[in-house]
Amino acid sequence: IIQYYSSCMDLPAEILLGVKLSDVESLQAWLSEKKKSILRILRPQRGDKYGLVKMCQENADLQLKENLANKIKRREVVSKKIDSLQADLDMLAPPRRIEAFDNSNIQGQYPVAGMVCFVDGKPLKREYRKFNIKTVEGIDDFAMMYEVVLRKYKRVLREGAVLPDLILVDGGKGQLSAAKKALDGLGLDYIPIVGLAKKLEEVYKPGISTPQNISKTSPGIFLLREIRDEVHRFAISFHRSIRNKDMTKSIFDDIKGMGEVRIKRLWGEFESLDQIRDASISEIERKVKVTEKIALKIKEKTNKTI
């Protein structure tokens, strides 16, 4: 009651309960003060009000049963996808935890990669990871894939974290071979890994030149596509944010008082020029820790960049 009515201003004249409370008087006093008039908490034992409480309890029971039934149905659908994928890929164990990788760059510029994690067919966003490519120069998708897979699982081994049941690479035989090489070098050659080629939606396994003979309508393939699309979206989104920040960083360089530290802080607080445009002068002043004069200059520069 306290949690609900702390944020709700629509207070009734009476609250009817089906359970006994230990400190009704103080709760009534607090609610009455919020309402600016008398509010009573009742536990009816008979009559129309008792009937209302019983009806609410019955409705709640029905809703709970429906929710549980829907949850079971969702589990059955997810289980069907995972079971299908296990059969499609001839795996020994169901791929409950799947991690997927994708690279993103434009003509070798701003190279980044993303990794997403799905558990029991659902995205686990706290396990998503972003990578700035560190060792590869120019356009080399295969070398980038090797780098990020190596970095990711070297850290997993170092920290004793959870390994996936299946690794998915967004790409064909080249990206798959690079990722497999990284795994083998870490002694993780036993982890199943596949590549999903973009053009024909074909699934490749390491060391096999031809795609797997899997039905395009398989629930397992639908799950792989969903994961592939999500990692592609995630990597592209990260790439755009890096590119936009780098391309617009220089517009603030000639503002007196905006050194490297403050520019870095600015991009730490705001993700895009649009966010800076929408922010007030005082908000920029407070978040970036600059004077009102500098905040005004930031706004002026931003508004000129359309």
Side-chain angles (χ1 to χ4, degrees):
I1 291 172
I2 292 170
Q3 183 180 15
Y4 180 77
Y5 285 109
S6 289
S7 57
C8 175
M9 299 306 296
D10 186 17
L11 285 91
E14 294 179 339
I15 295 175
L16 307 180
L17 299 180
V19 294
K20 187 177 181 179
L21 296 184
S22 58
D23 196 10
V24 175
E25 290 78 12
S26 61
L27 194 54
Q28 282 185 150
W30 174 70
L31 289 167
S32 297
E33 187 178 346
K34 279 178 69 71
K35 185 177 171 62
K36 307 298 183 189
S37 63
I38 299 297
L39 186 153
R40 297 189 303 160
I41 298 175
L42 305 175
R43 187 190 174 206
Q45 301 296 306
R46 62 184 68 85
D48 292 342
K49 291 179 180 179
Y50 175 74
L52 279 173
V53 172
K54 292 295 289 181
M55 182 178 70
C56 287
Q57 288 175 329
E58 288 166 5
N59 287 343
D61 286 339
L62 283 171
Q63 186 66 57
L64 179 60
K65 286 174 184 174
E66 283 182 20
N67 289 347
L68 288 172
N70 289 335
K71 196 170 184 181
I72 289 167
K73 285 178 184 174
R74 284 197 299 274
R75 281 179 183 166
E76 287 173 352
V77 171
V78 168
S79 177
K80 186 178 179 182
K81 287 182 180 179
I82 292 172
D83 290 344
S84 172
L85 188 56
Q86 182 182 357
D88 291 338
L89 300 178
D90 194 25
M91 297 177 66
L92 296 175
R96 295 189 59 196
R97 183 186 179 97
I98 302 172
E99 294 179 352
F101 294 84
D102 188 24
N103 300 325
S104 184
N105 67 88
I106 295 179
Q107 298 298 313
Q109 291 188 310
Y110 313 107
V112 298
M115 188 217 84
V116 302
C117 176
F118 276 55
V119 174
D120 290 335
K122 295 169 68 175
L124 190 64
K125 295 201 172 182
R126 69 172 181 269
E127 296 286 340
Y128 283 21
R129 295 292 181 268
K130 299 173 181 175
F131 300 88
N132 285 301
I133 302 299
K134 296 179 178 179
T135 63
V136 182
E137 293 184 6
I139 307 170
D140 192 337
D141 248 8
F142 305 157
M144 290 177 191
M145 185 61 71
Y146 174 83
E147 179 190 322
V148 295
V149 172
L150 185 72
R151 282 168 55 191
K152 163 65 182 174
Y153 294 111
K154 187 181 282 187
R155 181 169 184 172
V156 167
L157 290 173
R158 185 170 66 247
E159 296 178 353
V162 179
L163 287 165
D165 301 309
L166 175 68
I167 296 170
L168 172 64
V169 171
D170 183 10
K173 291 179 281 186
Q175 287 89 346
L176 177 61
S177 296
K180 176 64 174 166
K181 182 181 176 184
L183 290 176
D184 291 350
L186 294 170
L188 300 176
D189 53 303
Y190 57 88
I191 298 179
I193 180 169
V194 295
L196 184 59
K198 291 182 176 72
K199 286 185 179 178
L200 299 175
E201 304 285 7
E202 291 175 327
V203 177
Y204 286 90
K205 279 187 171 183
I208 303 174
S209 60
T210 55
Q212 297 296 293
N213 185 22
I214 303 172
S215 169
K216 300 294 185 185
T217 59
S218 163
I221 292 298
F222 284 128
L223 178 58
L224 284 186
R225 286 176 188 160
E226 182 184 350
I227 297 171
R228 189 275 315 278
D229 290 345
E230 173 64 359
V231 73
H232 186 66
R233 179 204 64 78
F234 184 63
I236 286 284
S237 174
F238 179 41
H239 175 263
R240 283 175 181 157
S241 68
I242 293 292
R243 184 188 64 194
N244 290 344
K245 285 180 182 180
D246 190 70
M247 289 173 70
T248 56
K249 180 180 174 183
S250 60
I251 70 171
F252 304 115
D253 285 348
D254 60 351
I255 298 177
K256 192 173 180 181
M258 280 298 287
E260 187 177 339
V261 172
R262 281 179 170 169
I263 289 175
K264 188 175 180 181
R265 191 184 300 144
L266 176 69
W267 287 123
E269 294 291 340
F270 300 97
E271 293 185 357
S272 66
L273 284 175
D274 287 337
Q275 282 193 7
I276 300 174
R277 285 191 196 99
D278 294 340
S280 64
I281 299 296
S282 59
E283 186 181 358
I284 296 171
E285 191 179 343
R286 185 182 75 256
K287 287 185 173 181
V288 189
K289 296 181 175 57
V290 293
T291 62
E292 184 180 359
K293 184 178 178 181
I294 293 175
L296 277 165
K297 289 283 187 185
I298 291 171
K299 283 287 281 188
E300 286 172 11
K301 287 278 188 181
T302 307
N303 290 331
K304 285 178 184 177
T305 309
I306 303 296

